[in-house]
Amino acid sequence: MPCKGLWNYLLVDVEGNITTCCLDSDLKNKIGNLSEMDLFEALNSEKLKRWRQAQLEGRFEDSGPHCMECNYLAAEQMTEDEVSEITKDDE
């Protein structure tokens, strides 16, 4: 199941770097920086859209460099109902 983090959380460090995961201290899943984009742009970025789609398709290796190292305990996995809610617009 996909990680909730790609939909529910963005983290910003003290330098303005935006990442998808609280475990990503090396910024492997960096989306951008607040000096270059706002949070709305980060949430709707093409990179994040690709990573989300990869998670929905079970292609975790394509869903952000840090994702393959994760145990999902930080952000939790989505439930089947949550996945259904996200994908219902695609049907």
Side-chain angles (χ1 to χ4, degrees):
M1 298 304 284
C3 173
K4 288 183 180 183
L6 292 177
W7 282 266
N8 297 338
Y9 316 112
L10 284 183
L11 289 100
V12 180
D13 72 7
V14 296
E15 295 177 356
N17 295 307
I18 306 165
T19 184
T20 61
C21 181
C22 64
L23 300 176
D24 188 19
S25 59
D26 294 330
L27 298 173
K28 292 179 182 178
N29 278 19
K30 181 178 173 182
I31 298 170
N33 189 286
L34 287 177
S35 65
E36 304 161 354
M37 64 175 53
D38 61 32
L39 289 177
F40 181 81
E41 292 170 315
L43 281 167
N44 293 289
S45 68
E46 289 303 315
K47 181 187 289 188
L48 191 51
K49 287 178 183 178
R50 285 193 312 272
W51 289 354
R52 288 173 176 158
Q53 188 62 40
Q55 286 253 331
L56 289 171
E57 295 172 359
R59 296 181 295 108
F60 300 100
E61 67 278 3
D62 295 328
S63 63
H66 186 67
C67 294
M68 289 302 292
E69 301 169 14
C70 182
N71 61 12
Y72 296 97
L73 294 177
E76 298 181 69
Q77 289 182 334
M78 291 184 145
T79 65
E80 289 183 27
D81 289 341
E82 289 169 321
V83 172
S84 294
E85 183 68 25
I86 288 170
T87 57
K88 75 178 180 182
D89 294 335
D90 296 339
E91 295 173 353

